[in-house]
Amino acid sequence: FFKPVGGQKPSLVQNQFGAALGGRIRKDKLFFFVDYEGFRSIAHTLSYLTLPTAAQKQGNLGIPVTNPLTGATYSGGVVPASQITAFARQVLSNVPDPNIAGISNNYQTFPATDTPSDKGDARLDYHLSERLTFFGRFSDRLQNQSVASALPGPSGTGGDIFRSYNRAIALGSSWTISPRSMLDMRLGLTKMEGADFRNWELDNTGGMLALYGISGTPESKPIASGLNTQSISGYSSLGHNAGQHQNPDVINPKLNYSRIEGRHTFKAGVEYQHIATEILDLNPLTGTDTYAGQFSKPKGAASNNLFNLADFLFGARDSYNLNSYGLFHYLQQMYFGYVQDDIKITQKLTVNLGVRYEYATPQYEAYNHLSNFDPATNSLILAKNGSIYDRALVNPDLGDFGPRAGLAYS
């Protein structure tokens, strides 16, 4: 009963490999370490889709339907070819016939997911003296996961590429000021890319106007990318929408100081983070048609998903969504500080006292492309240059103190 069509089974082929090397460059002074790890995975997973039958794609629905545009009723359940829109004919001609009997989950497919990943690190440690040391590290990771479309052909999604690219630099130094005090300094720089690209965004595939003669959607790359989303209730979605990405960059310096004085071990530190994130996360950029109104259902007939398919044949969508393109550059600043003291009351009892303060600005947009709604005045408030509130339209929290107290007894 559960045997896949053609006897094919889901498969997973996975390989992981790597190497590491470290050693001395200069005796007691300079050391290096490098490593690499590779990952390769190809998986074919079983997917089920619900697709219209060959007869249904030709307008033979098997139940009476009414053309909501003309009022004509076809009691034989066959929509005349002349009443099927050219758009519906073209889209459905590119939809494969079911390969399993039935009207639900009637198409099996084994789309491939190819996941190559490479990452590595390189580090140097330098001992300038017994009291002063430095280190630097560079890390890199790239993964471009390719996910094939479960529905092949121009009426599918064309497949996706999920890109994750991370690069990081860490610099640090430790200075033993005296036998009782030490200063530790760190700087982290991180650049990340996270994106979902549609394959057809990256090639010469045209948009709705070029392929289907339908205007009003973006025709420039990378947005234009084949058939937009056609959502027919009761059936698997056809087409797709535009990809998205978020690319955060982080600058993160921090400083920690510690000192031992008698029974006291005092520590204090500060940290700062600057986070800048480029975001494209608006959908649908190419538009979404929804067919769920059952406008073609004759009066008195029971609901049936076939009426949603008939609506698609007639071009009678019940809703359409299209979002405007917007590339946003979010900014945020974060400040942290703490002081603490470990007090050795006796040989067995140690008391810890400290306080931490954190302040993080709300996210704001580099070009003030933010707005908020004021229900009191029934109007929009637009971001502008000025205070944090002027730019983020959110009042920041200035009272984030975290006192702490603890004890240890042995």
Side-chain angles (χ1 to χ4, degrees):
F1 179 78
F2 293 101
K3 186 177 181 180
V5 173
Q8 183 180 357
K9 296 180 180 180
S11 63
L12 172 63
V13 178
Q14 183 169 295
N15 296 284
Q16 194 168 0
F17 48 90
L21 178 66
R24 179 187 67 190
I25 298 177
R26 182 180 175 189
K27 185 178 180 180
D28 298 331
K29 288 291 185 181
L30 186 60
F31 305 86
F32 79 96
F33 177 82
V34 293
D35 70 84
Y36 165 78
E37 181 179 334
F39 177 84
R40 302 291 184 270
S41 172
I42 299 179
H44 291 82
T45 56
L46 177 62
S47 296
Y48 287 90
L49 302 176
T50 297
L51 301 180
T53 66
Q56 291 169 353
K57 290 187 291 182
Q58 298 299 319
N60 189 349
L61 303 178
I63 59 174
V65 295
T66 297
N67 187 331
L69 305 179
T70 66
T73 297
Y74 309 109
S75 57
V78 179
V79 178
S82 61
Q83 299 303 304
I84 300 175
T85 66
F87 174 68
R89 283 198 302 271
Q90 183 176 349
V91 170
L92 292 178
S93 69
N94 292 318
V95 173
D97 294 335
N99 54 15
I100 305 175
I103 60 173
S104 178
N105 293 327
N106 56 6
Y107 185 80
Q108 279 188 9
T109 181
F110 285 86
T113 298
D114 185 2
T115 307
S117 176
D118 297 282
K119 62 181 180 180
D121 304 278
R123 174 172 173 140
L124 288 175
D125 288 89
Y126 181 59
H127 292 233
L128 182 62
S129 68
E130 292 185 356
R131 296 171 56 185
L132 184 59
T133 62
F134 299 89
F135 83 86
R137 184 187 73 242
F138 174 74
S139 300
D140 182 275
R141 178 181 181 271
L142 174 62
Q143 176 176 298
N144 284 322
Q145 183 184 64
S146 177
V147 181
S149 172
L151 180 62
S155 293
T157 67
D160 295 75
I161 295 177
F162 296 93
R163 177 179 173 85
S164 176
Y165 188 23
N166 304 324
R167 288 151 289 175
I169 295 174
L171 303 173
S173 177
S174 296
W175 178 26
T176 304
I177 302 171
S178 72
R180 294 184 300 175
S181 62
M182 183 175 181
L183 185 65
D184 190 62
M185 297 161 282
R186 295 286 188 271
L187 173 63
L189 305 171
T190 305
K191 188 174 184 64
M192 294 175 280
E193 298 176 19
D196 171 14
F197 297 106
R198 312 303 189 194
N199 279 326
W200 290 335
E201 294 176 346
L202 306 177
D203 61 17
N204 60 357
T205 300
M208 293 293 289
L209 180 60
L211 297 179
Y212 301 97
I214 296 177
S215 60
T217 64
E219 289 300 314
S220 59
K221 289 294 186 179
I223 306 303
S225 51
L227 178 66
N228 63 5
T229 302
Q230 302 295 309
S231 178
I232 306 171
S233 182
Y235 296 86
S236 297
S237 181
L238 307 177
H240 69 96
N241 233 290
Q244 57 194 30
H245 71 256
Q246 293 192 18
N247 301 333
D249 297 339
V250 181
I251 301 173
N252 179 208
K254 61 181 68 175
L255 185 69
N256 291 284
Y257 174 77
S258 60
R259 181 176 179 84
I260 300 174
E261 196 69 49
R263 295 179 177 269
H264 298 264
T265 300
F266 173 80
K267 294 181 180 180
V270 294
E271 180 179 355
Y272 168 73
Q273 285 192 22
H274 171 83
I275 306 172
T277 307
E278 181 185 275
I279 299 177
L280 174 60
D281 199 3
L282 297 173
N283 265 308
L285 291 179
T286 59
T288 295
D289 290 309
T290 302
Y291 301 86
Q294 304 207 355
F295 301 125
S296 56
K297 179 170 68 72
K299 185 176 181 180
S303 295
N304 192 312
N305 287 328
L306 286 171
F307 296 127
N308 298 321
L309 179 60
D311 288 351
F312 178 72
L313 297 176
F314 292 126
R317 62 192 180 195
D318 73 301
S319 67
Y320 176 72
N321 296 312
L322 178 66
N323 213 332
S324 299
Y325 178 89
L327 185 64
F328 300 97
H329 301 81
Y330 279 98
L331 300 174
Q332 187 176 31
Q333 322 296 325
M334 306 178 77
Y335 305 86
F336 313 92
Y338 77 94
V339 292
Q340 73 173 49
D341 189 11
D342 293 321
I343 310 168
K344 196 171 185 63
I345 305 298
T346 68
Q347 289 294 327
K348 294 186 175 183
L349 179 63
T350 301
V351 174
N352 173 268
L353 300 173
V355 63
R356 179 180 177 87
Y357 178 73
E358 298 184 355
Y359 169 65
T361 68
Q363 285 187 319
Y364 56 96
E365 212 277 330
Y367 304 100
N368 295 326
H369 294 162
L370 292 178
S371 64
N372 212 338
F373 179 71
D374 184 357
T377 61
N378 196 33
S379 62
L380 287 176
I381 304 173
L382 302 180
K384 60 184 179 181
N385 290 330
S387 66
I388 288 297
Y389 174 80
D390 290 332
R391 303 203 65 184
L393 304 178
V394 176
N395 287 313
D397 180 6
L398 301 176
D400 197 358
F401 287 91
R404 60 175 292 176
L407 58 86
Y409 182 79
S410 61

